[in-house]
Amino acid sequence: MLPVIYSDEFLDHKTGRFHPETPGRLSAIATALKQSKFAHRIEWRSPTSLTESPALALVEQIHAAEYINLVRYIANTGGGYLEPDTPVSPRSYDVALLAVSAWLDGVNSVLATQNPAFVLTRPPGHHAESDRGMGFCLFSNAAIAAYYALAQPGINRVAILDWDVHHGNGTQAIVENHPQIAFCSLHQSPCYPGTGYASEQGKFNNVLNLPVSPGSTMATYQPLFEAKVIPFLCNFQPDLLIVSAGYDANAADPLAEIALQPQDYGKFTEYCLQLTRRIVFGLEGGYDFSALSQSVVATLEKCLVHV
């Protein structure tokens, strides 16, 4: 069985009628997984409630108090915007905290079973910096999960692989000075948010940015995985791998210009599984419902094939 951590509460983060980061993204994925040929091998789990989760305390360790208070205030006063593309609705603060709780549950599941888990949440997190939300993101889910994992017994090194089409600027900013966390990102360049230069290596040579040109296909990505990503991760020898699993590098996606196909994410997953089965996959971007849901299906299918 493969755990998928999900709650209908994640649909309560309302972004507006024309915003690309919509509740329909999760509904499309959930429907596709429930209709998949391996549906009987998925264990649907609810995230730990906020009254029982350390999510808020961990958010407070990573994000500035003034920023957390701002998100809470905007939500409590009826909603508004952190930036023009980053809305906060009345329930967004609680939903974002519940998303963090789900990512922590993903870590707990993987460490308990030594097998992958998929965290099906929104809002996404990899653009959120310690004192600023941006790019649809409120709290830095992957970075928070990495810090949480390092506090668990036997976990001395955590790697984060971000295959979202956009650079995970928030994740990198939060972890790049930590010697026990490695960060690797493949992302379109030029593209939002304009960060993630190949020259950035982190304070401890723990950062690998791999910018790719618009129009790139698997013919570009596969050699990068084989010659760069996997050697970098193997050299770091992580006790846990966290994947910021964005699926907006698909050719069908409206927000970028990379030309991957859904099955390519199955190949990415195979590369990761060659390194370790201790993988937390957590949803980031992906805005074409069909390509997004097919890509998640491809990811989970490879996890279940390689049992």
Side-chain angles (χ1 to χ4, degrees), residues 7-281:
S7 170
D8 284 342
E9 289 190 62
F10 297 133
L11 308 180
D12 293 338
H13 170 57
K14 305 297 186 182
T15 51
R17 183 176 177 185
F18 299 108
H19 198 285
E21 203 291 285
T22 167
R25 301 173 61 234
L26 296 200
S27 300
I29 294 168
T31 297
L33 291 177
K34 290 173 182 177
Q35 294 176 348
S36 69
K37 61 185 179 183
F38 53 82
H40 62 288
R41 300 182 64 192
I42 294 175
E43 179 187 351
W44 292 88
R45 296 184 186 175
S46 297
T48 300
S49 69
L50 294 181
T51 57
E52 299 176 353
S53 171
L56 178 56
L58 289 160
V59 168
E60 291 173 339
Q61 289 179 19
I62 299 300
H63 290 285
E66 295 82 0
Y67 170 64
I68 299 169
N69 291 337
L70 175 63
V71 178
R72 183 191 296 118
Y73 174 79
I74 295 174
N76 288 343
T77 54
Y81 289 83
L82 293 170
E83 292 199 348
D85 64 358
T86 309
V88 175
S89 66
R91 288 223 62 223
S92 294
Y93 173 75
D94 287 338
V95 172
L97 284 179
L98 191 66
V100 171
S101 179
W103 281 67
L104 304 183
D105 289 339
V107 171
N108 290 336
S109 174
V110 171
L111 297 185
T113 66
Q114 310 292 300
N115 281 304
F118 195 95
V119 185
L120 183 56
T121 63
R122 55 185 294 275
H126 72 152
H127 293 310
E129 298 181 352
S130 61
D131 59 353
R132 176 188 180 195
M134 57 184 287
F136 315 164
C137 300
L138 302 188
F139 299 136
S140 192
N141 301 320
I144 294 167
Y147 275 84
Y148 172 73
L150 286 175
Q152 308 311 306
I155 303 301
N156 297 309
R157 289 178 300 278
V158 177
I160 301 171
L161 171 62
D162 189 331
W163 69 43
D164 190 282
V165 80
H166 304 102
H167 177 245
N169 59 294
T171 307
Q172 179 177 322
I174 291 167
V175 308
E176 64 184 347
N177 292 326
H178 198 302
Q180 294 167 275
I181 305 176
F183 176 74
C184 176
S185 174
L186 304 102
H187 49 272
Q188 179 180 319
S189 181
C191 195
Y192 180 91
T195 55
Y197 294 101
S199 58
E200 299 166 5
Q201 297 181 334
K203 186 175 180 180
F204 302 96
N205 290 317
N206 56 330
V207 171
L208 176 64
N209 282 317
L210 298 168
V212 295
S213 301
S216 294
T217 66
M218 192 61 171
T220 298
Y221 274 74
Q222 187 161 351
L224 286 177
F225 263 89
E226 293 177 358
K228 301 288 187 179
V229 176
I230 298 305
F232 173 76
L233 295 176
C234 282
N235 183 63
F236 188 72
Q237 296 184 310
D239 300 306
L240 177 73
L241 176 61
I242 295 172
V243 177
S244 272
Y247 296 97
D248 38 8
N250 269 302
D253 198 276
L255 295 194
E257 302 161 286
I258 300 298
L260 294 178
Q261 301 298 320
Q263 64 268 23
D264 295 334
Y265 291 97
K267 186 63 177 176
F268 294 174
T269 303
E270 284 188 325
Y271 284 127
C272 293
L273 290 166
Q274 290 170 13
L275 176 70
T276 181
R277 288 196 60 81
R278 298 170 117 187
I279 309 174
V280 179
F281 295 92

